[in-house]
Amino acid sequence: MTQLLLTATVTPSEQNFSREPGRETAMAKDILGEAGLHFDELNKLRVLDPEVTQQTIELKEECKDFVDKIGQFQKIVGGLIELVDQLAKEAENEKMKAIGARNLLKSIAKQREAQQQQLQALIAEKKMQLERYRVEYEALCKVEAEQNEFIDQFIFQK
């Protein structure tokens, strides 16, 4: 560290002037102030001006408050990010469920369409069978009528 030596020369006229009460202290403060040294409220020698020291303390407190607020902000943002991530996962799950349900509905629709085609084919087959049975019935009715007529003729001939 560097030591600072202050020397002051005082003329005899200044000696009489400086003997006024409080004037010596003021002069010493002025001389020290010019050298960049100051006395604080406890009369301790300081390198910084008391106003600068006070501003520095206030700035330090403001910085601490700012850092605390930034920390709180980071916590809030972290919580928000977690919440958004959770909502995104839930949305993705719901999306997958919806896609699955849509695919299931498409599958069911295809199955119903296939079943409908099978039933229509079965209906067509049954209609053809019904037509065959109707034709066969008509033929049998004709045969029966002929046989009844033959029986009636046979009975009348005897």
Side-chain angles (χ1 to χ4, degrees), residues 22 31 47 70 109 152 157:
I31 292 171
V47 175
I70 290 294
D152 286 342
Q157 284 182 356

Side-chain angles (χ1 to χ4, degrees), residues 37-123:
L37 300 173
H38 306 280
F39 285 101
D40 65 5
E41 63 276 351
L42 300 174
N43 288 325
K44 290 186 175 182
L45 189 59
R46 302 286 180 195
V47 175
L48 291 176
D49 184 15
E51 287 182 30
V52 173
T53 303
Q54 183 61 34
Q55 289 174 351
T56 303
I57 292 170
E58 289 173 3
L59 181 61
K60 181 181 175 182
E61 290 173 2
E62 287 178 16
C63 287
K64 183 181 180 288
D65 290 343
F66 179 75
V67 168
D68 291 343
K69 287 180 181 178
I70 290 294
Q72 290 174 350
F73 178 74
Q74 286 177 337
K75 286 180 184 177
I76 291 170
V77 169
L80 181 63
I81 288 172
E82 287 178 15
L83 180 63
V84 169
D85 286 344
Q86 182 181 2
L87 290 174
K89 286 179 184 176
E90 289 177 13
E92 187 65 26
N93 288 340
E94 291 299 318
K95 179 180 170 183
M96 290 303 189
K97 286 180 184 177
I99 289 172
R102 182 180 64 195
N103 290 341
L104 179 64
L105 287 174
K106 284 181 181 179
S107 173
I108 290 173
K110 286 181 182 180
Q111 286 177 352
R112 283 188 180 168
E113 187 177 318
Q115 186 179 18
Q116 183 179 12
Q117 289 176 353
Q118 288 176 349
L119 290 174
Q120 285 176 347
L122 183 63
I123 289 172

Side-chain angles (χ1 to χ4, degrees), residues 22-37:
R23 181 71 184 147
E24 289 175 350
T25 307
M27 278 181 57
K29 284 185 179 180
D30 289 341
I31 292 171
L32 289 172
E34 289 174 9
L37 300 173

